[in-house]
Amino acid sequence: MQVYGTKVKTPLFLGTARYPSPAILLQAIQTAQAEVITVSLRREGAGGGAFRDLLAQSGARVLPNTAGCHSVAEAITTARMAREVFQTDWLKLEVIGNADSLQPDVFQTVQAAKVLCAEGFKVFPYTTDDLIVGERLLEAGCQVLMPWGAPIGTCQGLRNPDALRAMRAHFPGVPLIVDAGIGAPSHAAQVMEMGFDGVLTNTAVALAGDPVAMAGALAGAVGAGQAAYHAGIVAPRDMAEPSTPVFGLAVLG
């Protein structure tokens, strides 16, 4: 996938919150071979320089996010601070509209994206699977979209796969990364089989019984799903169709 002029070979993006220990986080990143990891400014502030050093050891690119922001002003201020702290213009934009579902406020997200893109940020917007919202974000200057699969942290998988398929078809040339709701390797494989460019997950790995093993499992599932999509998945049929030819069968008198 090519995003903002940068090639990203590994389609699995990892979040960095809620891991049992910094050492396990580092092992999970390395096992998943994740090239991009998301970090909130609040998380970095809690860990300080030691946490930043740990992230540097992983060799992954940091994608700061505005997690926890509920307004345009708060998201823009957090983004500017994150750019100074992490020395990157990449930004995962989150503007939350509902405290229970953590659904993005798409109206404020578009407003914030316009300001941040104008300031030179390379914005990765967390959004819904709404096609019109996606179009508005692209018009604002975003070159990638991150639709949700299900509410953050629920691990429910894809709540509305038909809407995601429609989004993939509607934006054929736009990098699309499913963000939120991924809870199992099968969910990640399903996303990639649809032709999406990547998957972002945090809870499924961080809270697994063995986060490092789960990181490896998700990486394998993402790779398998991507390979299957490019191989050409056979469409389901309504009627049975024999796989063995009838020519050559014995004729019984």
Side-chain angles (χ1 to χ4, degrees), residues 6-253:
T6 299
K7 288 184 178 180
V8 180
K9 297 179 181 178
T10 306
L12 179 59
F13 291 29
L14 282 185
T16 56
R18 306 181 71 185
Y19 282 79
S21 71
I24 290 176
L25 166 60
L26 182 59
Q27 290 178 55
I29 295 171
Q30 293 171 338
T31 299
Q33 298 182 329
E35 291 181 67
V36 180
I37 53 176
T38 61
V39 184
S40 72
L41 185 63
R42 291 174 174 82
R43 177 76 175 91
E44 195 282 335
F51 184 64
R52 209 178 318 164
D53 291 342
L54 176 76
L55 299 181
Q57 290 179 46
S58 73
R61 179 166 191 154
V62 172
L63 175 63
N65 68 42
T66 60
C69 292
H70 292 263
S71 69
V72 172
E74 189 178 9
I76 290 173
T77 299
T78 302
R80 291 169 178 165
M81 294 171 63
R83 179 161 59 181
E84 292 297 319
V85 170
F86 294 106
Q87 295 296 298
T88 179
D89 53 7
W90 279 29
L91 179 80
K92 182 191 169 191
L93 175 62
E94 293 183 29
V95 186
I96 300 302
N98 184 279
D100 293 323
S101 69
L102 300 181
Q103 180 171 336
D105 183 326
V106 294
F107 306 102
Q108 294 199 82
T109 299
V110 171
Q111 292 178 44
K114 288 179 180 178
V115 175
L116 294 170
C117 288
E119 292 185 5
F121 282 92
K122 295 177 173 59
V123 178
F124 293 65
Y126 167 57
T127 182
T128 62
D129 48 29
D130 186 280
L131 302 182
I132 305 305
V133 174
E135 290 178 350
R136 297 295 176 268
L137 287 167
L138 296 177
E139 290 170 3
C142 300
Q143 296 181 21
V144 59
L145 299 173
M146 302 184 78
W148 67 347
I152 293 172
T154 62
C155 295
Q156 293 178 352
L158 307 186
R159 270 190 171 181
N160 195 343
D162 288 338
L164 289 172
R165 289 190 187 93
M167 196 170 201
R168 177 68 284 176
H170 192 73
F171 300 110
V174 178
L176 299 179
I177 302 166
V178 171
D179 173 19
I182 301 300
S186 57
H187 301 157
Q190 183 182 8
V191 168
M192 301 307 294
E193 287 173 359
M194 291 180 180
F196 280 79
D197 299 280
V199 173
L200 170 58
T201 185
N202 188 158
T203 304
V205 178
L207 300 189
D210 185 337
V212 177
M214 184 59 73
L218 279 160
V222 166
Q226 187 177 54
Y229 173 75
H230 288 297
I233 299 172
V234 177
R237 300 184 177 94
D238 292 330
M239 298 294 292
E241 182 176 322
S243 56
T244 302
V246 295
F247 177 79
L249 288 178
V251 177
L252 302 178

